[in-house]
Structure formats: C-alpha cells, structure tokens
Amino acid sequence: MNLYPPYINGGYNRKENPMKNKTFILFLLFLFMVSCSEDSGSSADDSEKFINKTISGLAQGPFEKGTTVSAYEFDSNFQQTGYNIETSIKSNKGDFSVKLIDFESQYSLLKVEGYYFNSFTNKKIKDKLTLHALTDLSERDKVNINLLTHLAYNRTQYLVSEKNAPIKKAKKQAENEVLKAFGIEENNFDDAEDMDVFGKGKQSAALLAISVLMQGNLLNTSLNDRLTSFSSDIEKDGKWDKEQAKKEIADWANCMSLNSGFDKVKSYIKKWNQAVDLSAFEKYV
C-alpha cells in the first residue's frame, strides 16, 4: 500500500522523505533550545545589574539619634529616579546603616537631614542641617557623610554633566578644590567618604578644621545658607570667591587665635575625639 503521495518533477523519493522531515524537526528543536538559552542568559545578565547591599557610615555633624538618612538611586543620565530607601541614625555619634534593594545604578546620593551637634562644643544646634554624599556602590560598603562630601557635590555634578569628566576623577578634583579653598593642599588624602572627624591623622584634622571654621561665627547666617553659598560659588570654576564670607570666617579665626579662644575649642574637641591630631588641626585652622 502506497502511504506517500506521488512526487512530481524530480521530487524526494519515498525513502528519503522521512529522514529529511526528522532532520528538519531536529533542526527546529535545536534553534528553540538555543533561543531559550539566550533568553535565560539575558535574564541572568539583567539580574546581575541590580545592586543589593548594606551601606553603613557616619553622618557628621554629627547628627542626633533618629535623624533620617536617605539613599537615592541614579539613572543612566546621572539623575535621581525618585526611588530611595530610608533609615535612621542609631546614636548621637551619627552612625547609620541602610539596606539597598534592587538599585539599578552603581551611583547613589546619600542625604542626611536633621539636628546636629556643633563640632567643637558638642551642643545640639536648633536649626536643621542637610548634607549630601555621592558614592559609587560598586567600590564600597562604607560611606561617611560630612561637610567635605557635601561641599564637593555640586562641583562634581557640574564636572560630570558639563565637562564629561569621569565620576571618580570629578569627585577627587572637586574635593581637592574645596580643600584648597581653605588653604589645605594635600595630595595623599583619602576620598571624602572615608574621612572621619572622630579619626586620627592629618585628614581627620583637616575635616575638623573645615567644620569648625564653617560653624565658627555665622553672625546672621545659618550653616545651611553658608554651605549653599559656598557650593554654588565653587560649582563652575572650582574657586571660592565670596570675599565677605571669607573675611567673616578669617576675622573670627584670627580673634580666637589672638585671645587663646582655640585653647577652649581644643579642650572641647579633646573630650569627644581623643585621637585627633591637634597640631595638624591648628595648622589647618
């Protein structure tokens, strides 16, 4: 009995046709398996792009216990996406930790906003303060938020967005320019995120000196206003040109020095930071 239709114009013979069909089916199965494998690999690659980790650090002020710390996600254009995760400071030393979940970018902005303690009297200030720190999540799991990270933030963003500078290079340049504005020119300091006013060594003393000078004699200006003015002024050219603010700070520091006022400041500092290098602090002030 003939199970196959007749073939015309030199078509396949009966014995060849089943094998060809099997070969074709196997070929389709192979393509399907390859496609599934590629899709699976793509999903795995996509999932690996998400960042899930815990970031800890110190918010200095220091900020008081219970103050909110927020971690903001950036998009590919280095802009905030609106997605953020919050945590609270654990003690009056400003220590915090925040668990990041499914961040799509390695870059994040940490923000702390609340009441803080004066750097040299250790008394809580009645006005709230806001500080920022830009960080690369792929490189670290500890980030300190301080005056240097904050003062360098606007300048860093400008160098990245307007000058197409790599973020790591832009951050380091901005931090060095802030230090230089205070007459501090050091080439071997750690990143600002690693600096700690409770630490020892020259870089901690430098950070402490900047904190004391910026908080010293605010007259009718809040610390937030002074920091905003500095950040805006240094943003485009890396230079601090606000002569009146510089004069106020310099006059206050000079008066403190002439009247042994810094002796009292140093005694306050020594009580809560016994590791600080006071000789380096005096030099930078």
Side-chain angles (χ1 to χ4, degrees):
M1 182 177 179
N2 185 1
L3 298 178
Y4 302 100
Y7 292 89
I8 305 172
N9 297 330
Y12 301 114
N13 63 39
R14 297 174 191 170
K15 293 183 179 180
E16 291 175 338
N17 191 60
M19 183 61 69
K20 290 289 185 179
N21 286 341
K22 290 179 180 178
T23 301
F24 182 69
I25 291 171
L26 289 173
F27 179 71
L28 289 178
L29 286 173
F30 173 77
L31 290 179
F32 177 76
M33 291 174 67
V34 169
S35 176
C36 288
S37 175
E38 289 177 349
D39 289 343
S40 175
S42 176
S43 297
D45 289 343
D46 289 342
S47 67
E48 289 175 358
K49 293 179 181 178
F50 290 107
I51 294 177
N52 296 276
K53 66 190 306 184
T54 297
I55 297 291
S56 62
L58 296 169
Q60 299 175 326
F63 286 79
E64 71 171 342
K65 180 180 180 180
T67 301
T68 298
V69 176
S70 303
Y72 292 88
E73 178 189 71
F74 278 0
D75 62 19
S76 58
N77 295 317
F78 208 56
Q79 299 297 318
Q80 294 183 33
T81 66
Y83 176 49
N84 70 288
I85 296 177
E86 295 183 348
T87 189
S88 297
I89 287 177
K90 300 175 182 178
S91 76
N92 287 342
K93 290 186 177 181
D95 50 315
F96 69 91
S97 64
V98 54
K99 186 175 183 180
L100 306 182
I101 302 173
D102 292 345
F103 267 48
E104 295 185 355
S105 169
Q106 70 191 77
Y107 299 107
S108 176
L109 176 67
L110 297 186
K111 172 186 173 183
V112 57
E113 182 176 17
Y115 297 105
Y116 68 103
F117 296 90
N118 185 284
S119 289
F120 56 93
T121 66
N122 204 29
K123 293 180 179 179
K124 189 170 79 171
I125 304 301
K126 64 179 181 178
D127 295 325
K128 286 189 174 181
L129 176 65
T130 301
L131 297 181
H132 299 95
L134 177 64
T135 189
D136 184 341
L137 299 173
S138 68
E139 293 187 344
R140 59 176 61 246
D141 52 20
K142 183 175 181 180
V143 180
N144 291 335
I145 310 171
N146 52 52
L147 284 187
L148 184 53
T149 64
H150 180 78
L151 294 175
Y153 173 61
N154 282 4
R155 176 63 172 159
T156 301
Q157 279 208 310
Y158 178 83
L159 290 171
V160 171
S161 60
E162 300 297 327
K163 301 299 181 180
N164 297 317
I167 294 177
K168 188 171 184 177
K169 181 179 179 180
K171 283 179 62 180
K172 180 54 69 175
Q173 178 179 334
E175 290 166 10
N176 286 339
E177 287 169 339
V178 172
L179 291 169
K180 186 176 181 180
F182 289 91
I184 302 171
E185 299 190 46
E186 302 282 355
N187 297 320
N188 58 348
F189 277 178
D190 291 338
D191 293 339
E193 301 143 277
D194 295 314
M195 292 189 185
D196 175 8
V197 294
F198 294 117
K200 58 183 179 180
K202 292 195 300 182
Q203 60 189 27
S204 292
L207 178 60
L208 186 58
I210 292 173
S211 299
V212 167
L213 290 172
M214 292 298 271
Q215 294 177 52
N217 179 24
L218 290 171
L219 298 180
N220 296 320
T221 306
S222 72
L223 181 55
N224 268 324
D225 290 341
R226 177 170 280 178
L227 298 183
T228 299
S229 174
F230 181 101
S231 298
S232 298
D233 189 37
I234 202 173
E235 180 178 354
K236 293 183 178 180
D237 62 3
K239 296 179 181 179
W240 187 25
D241 299 316
K242 299 292 184 182
E243 296 302 326
Q244 182 59 35
K246 291 163 69 173
K247 183 178 184 303
E248 288 176 5
I249 293 173
D251 286 348
W252 174 81
N254 186 55
C255 181
M256 291 285 285
S257 179
L258 291 174
N259 294 287
S260 301
F262 278 123
D263 290 341
K264 187 176 181 180
V265 171
K266 288 186 290 184
S267 67
Y268 278 128
I269 291 171
K270 202 66 177 177
K271 287 179 181 179
W272 57 265
N273 183 5
Q274 296 182 3
V276 68
D277 183 345
L278 286 176
S279 61
F281 167 77
E282 286 184 284
K283 169 189 172 183
Y284 294 134
V285 168

